Amino acid sequence: MILSTTPTIDGHPIREYKGVVTGETIIGANFVKDFFAGIRDVVGGRSGSYEKVLREAKDTSMKEMENRAKELGANAIVGIDIDYETIGQTSSMLMVATSGTAVVI
């Protein structure tokens, strides 16, 4: 499966549009607890623990979107967008949402 943030893939004309596909991941309270536990991991203004959790959430969301595209018979996703948002009454959860257009190239 080819994944791209661009609307086209050079050298591969789009033969069929299958539709919009999405993937969502929500990280709950343990994420916040783990974040604060990992604060000691901050080096140069970055937290390796925090970044690892965000990367895992993004990867999970992308994989879910890819699986939905495969179910539609697509072999590529173009125009991918990744959004990060805090949710919940106290903004204690993080949602990672991905979307794109499933296509056959």
Side-chain angles (χ1 to χ4, degrees):
M1 174 86 49
I2 297 174
L3 307 173
S4 178
T5 58
T6 60
T8 60
I9 299 170
D10 285 343
H12 299 279
I14 294 174
R15 296 183 305 155
E16 186 179 355
Y17 289 87
K18 294 293 191 171
V20 173
V21 287
T22 62
E24 302 80 19
T25 302
I26 297 176
I27 303 169
N30 287 339
F31 164 77
V32 175
K33 185 175 101 180
D34 292 345
F35 168 71
F36 285 114
I39 282 291
R40 66 182 179 279
D41 186 35
V42 174
V43 177
R46 295 178 64 170
S47 170
S49 297
Y50 185 61
E51 290 173 354
K52 181 182 177 193
V53 170
L54 285 174
R55 194 170 29 259
E56 288 173 0
K58 188 258 311 169
D59 290 346
T60 300
S61 182
M62 291 284 286
K63 187 51 119 175
E64 184 177 299
M65 180 180 62
E66 184 178 339
N67 289 340
R68 289 180 177 158
K70 286 178 182 175
E71 289 173 3
L72 295 174
N75 62 0
I77 304 172
V78 295
I80 294 174
D81 180 52
I82 305 170
D83 291 310
Y84 298 86
E85 187 73 38
T86 56
I87 60 174
Q89 281 186 319
T90 60
S91 296
S92 61
M93 296 188 287
L94 177 73
M95 178 178 70
V96 180
T98 56
S99 63
T101 303
V103 299
V104 175
I105 55 173

